[in-house]
Amino acid sequence: MAAKIVVVGSANTDMVIKTERLPKPGETVLGGQFATVQGGKGANQAVAAARLGGKVTFVTRLGTDSFGRIAAAAYQTEGINLDFLVWDDAAPSGVALILVNKNGENIIAVAPGANANLAPDDVLRAEPAIRKADCMLLQLEIPLPTVQTAAELARRHGVRVILNPAPAAELSDDLYRNVDVLTPNESEAALLAGAETDLPASDLARKLRALTRIPVIVLTMGDKGALTLIEQEENLTPAFEIEAIDTVAAGDAFNGGLAVALGNGQDLPTALRFASAAGAIAATRSGAQPSLPTLQEVKAFLAR
Ligand code: RIB
């Protein structure tokens, strides 16, 4: 049976320009291609999980504008359950402005719009889906009380919670206590742990663990792989060798893959390999949701 995943999170329309290099403050650089694509960390993770075989319910807010309508139609095409999508008359849909340089690195600014109104009550209404889920997937592009309510509700129903703390923000013990797996990248981990960014990965993960007491810390490190800390045991999932052209949503593909694999009952090392493959494929393609692989693509990649 397909893993049942509930994603509570943001939905954006991404406006992307490819540039040779990223501009400095006050500088204008002439860009290349421009594209408008579906994005938003919550939506990307929901779509990633759906393409990888998960049965996904997405709890989100969209404005009643054309961006919102186009986004909802796209999620529907992916087979995502939108029973708990909230249409917001008061705010526009979320938008992200993204620049991607020739090495695939990016800078992103988000205007949250309706995402900023996703409320604890919106999550409570989704209890019928949450109660039956195998896994809940959370990020930080929506208000923290909403993230906290979602994690609490999932915990109450014995549903495993994965928190991808992106974009990084100061979090409380009340949230940490209801999280089972934390998946920061190195800069997010440093911010959460109040540590220097050049702290060795192992020390960073241990510091984060001491602070949060979350049972599983997965520190994602791009081409250096993912470092996992469970109790005192540390493991490195090596990165796949790829040529990255655009890392936007690679982390979202990883988190979506992790949720599906864990939701399907796979052990952590197998789930991490699956998630890493999904992330690696996404980094070889342009755009957020257009880059997210299907289950068949990940299987073929792993079988190479
Ligand atoms: O994680 C990538 C996403 O971050 C983009 O799709 C953009 O919308 C921002 O939310």
Side-chain angles (χ1 to χ4, degrees), residues 10-14 38-42 44 95-96 98 108 110 141 248-252 288-289:
S10 61
N12 293 332
T13 298
D14 290 356
Q38 296 304 320
K41 293 187 194 303
N44 295 345
V95 167
I98 303 181
I108 304 181
V110 175
E141 274 187 341
V248 174
D252 297 327
Q289 286 166 40

Side-chain angles (χ1 to χ4, degrees), residues 5-284:
I5 314 289
V6 174
V7 181
V8 179
S10 61
N12 293 332
T13 298
D14 290 356
M15 303 205 181
V16 192
I17 301 180
K18 295 235 175 186
T19 54
E20 179 74 10
R21 61 185 177 79
L22 303 175
K24 301 189 189 75
E27 188 189 14
T28 301
V29 294
L30 281 182
Q33 287 163 354
F34 168 74
T36 303
V37 298
Q38 296 304 320
K41 293 187 194 303
N44 295 345
Q45 295 183 16
V47 170
R51 287 194 192 158
L52 294 171
K55 197 164 180 292
V56 178
T57 295
F58 186 28
V59 182
T60 194
R61 261 188 193 247
L62 291 169
T64 52
D65 45 26
S66 59
F67 284 161
R69 285 195 299 275
I70 292 167
Y75 310 149
Q76 228 144 20
T77 309
E78 301 286 348
I80 293 173
N81 172 22
L82 297 177
D83 285 356
F84 306 103
L85 159 68
V86 183
W87 291 103
D88 192 318
D89 288 328
S93 299
V95 167
L97 299 183
I98 303 181
L99 298 182
V100 180
N101 73 9
K102 65 170 192 282
N103 301 325
E105 297 158 326
N106 60 67
I107 49 172
I108 304 181
V110 175
N115 295 310
N117 294 342
L118 191 68
D121 275 352
D122 298 334
V123 174
L124 294 175
R125 271 192 292 273
E127 187 167 2
I130 293 171
R131 151 156 74 74
K132 289 190 248 145
D134 296 303
C135 196
M136 174 180 276
L137 198 42
L138 299 168
Q139 326 72 33
L140 300 177
E141 274 187 341
I142 55 170
L144 278 178
T146 308
V147 176
Q148 212 160 300
T149 301
E152 261 170 39
L153 192 56
R155 172 58 57 86
R156 205 179 309 148
H157 290 293
V159 175
R160 182 189 262 146
V161 175
I162 301 177
L163 172 63
N164 174 223
E170 226 167 89
L171 302 175
S172 67
D173 288 345
D174 281 348
L175 175 57
Y176 290 143
R177 120 158 47 92
N178 293 315
V179 174
D180 300 287
V181 183
L182 186 72
T183 61
N185 64 22
E186 288 167 290
S187 65
E188 289 152 2
L191 192 138
L192 292 178
E196 299 297 322
T197 39
D198 56 2
L199 198 67
S202 167
D203 297 349
L204 191 53
R206 282 170 195 279
K207 201 162 177 193
L208 203 49
R209 152 56 147 280
L211 180 87
T212 64
R213 310 222 164 269
I214 293 175
V216 181
I217 307 281
V218 179
L219 185 61
T220 58
M221 303 182 296
D223 59 7
K224 291 178 285 171
L227 184 84
T228 310
L229 187 64
I230 310 176
E231 300 297 334
Q232 288 312 310
E233 199 190 311
E234 216 176 278
N235 273 299
L236 182 72
T237 307
F240 292 96
E241 262 187 44
I242 48 141
E243 195 140 330
I245 65 153
D246 179 349
T247 55
V248 174
D252 297 327
F254 179 94
N255 280 281
L258 189 62
V260 170
L262 290 178
N264 277 330
Q266 292 183 15
D267 59 35
L268 194 60
T270 312
L272 285 165
R273 196 160 173 270
F274 181 81
S276 299
I281 297 172
T284 63

